[in-house]
Amino acid sequence: MTALTILICTHNRADLLQKTLASLNRARRPAMPVHILVAANACSDDTVVQMQAYQACQTTRNDLPLQVLDVPTPGKSHALNAAIPTIETELIALVDDDHRVDENYLTAIEQAAAAW
């Protein structure tokens, strides 16, 4: 079965990232599995701690499963280059840490993948 990873690279924007994650979790769920990968890029705030808290509650809240990757070298290209090789799903979507997604975002990706 086709699966999707939502990759979010972030640097010291934990509060904005929480809003992005909330919008992803409010979106309609497609039939395919969806995972979130957060590449914490040289974060000196509490991003990693907040992502660990998310992970601790993700099952009981029925949130999308999340994995966090600590990338110590600053720069979005470093975060992308570290994260992309770890992804095992067929599909990848990039979302910025300050984005909010439409309620049909995930299902639209599934429909586009099926069509194309």
Side-chain angles (χ1 to χ4, degrees):
M1 172 182 268
T2 300
L4 169 67
T5 297
I6 305 294
L7 174 56
I8 306 170
C9 297
T10 188
H11 173 71
N12 291 343
R13 295 172 79 163
D15 294 336
L16 284 172
L17 178 58
Q18 289 290 355
K19 293 176 182 179
T20 302
L21 294 173
S23 77
L24 284 164
N25 280 301
R26 280 191 304 271
R28 288 191 180 105
R29 304 281 173 99
M32 72 171 137
V34 178
H35 310 276
I36 300 171
L37 174 58
V38 172
N41 185 223
C43 292
S44 58
D45 67 354
D46 65 343
T47 296
V48 173
V49 171
Q50 285 192 32
M51 294 306 96
Q52 291 168 338
Y54 176 107
Q55 289 174 313
C57 299
Q58 65 190 9
T59 303
T60 57
R61 292 188 313 217
N62 196 32
D63 285 345
L64 294 168
L66 181 141
Q67 182 181 15
V68 62
L69 177 65
D70 192 8
V71 181
T73 307
K76 187 169 183 177
S77 62
H78 291 289
L80 289 168
N81 288 331
I84 289 172
T86 71
I87 296 173
E88 297 179 357
T89 60
E90 296 85 1
L91 300 172
I92 301 171
L94 303 177
V95 173
D96 284 346
D97 59 6
D98 61 348
H99 283 180
R100 309 298 173 266
V101 301
D102 181 82
E103 67 181 21
N104 296 313
Y105 178 72
L106 300 173
T107 55
I109 292 172
E110 180 179 54
Q111 291 167 356
W116 305 103

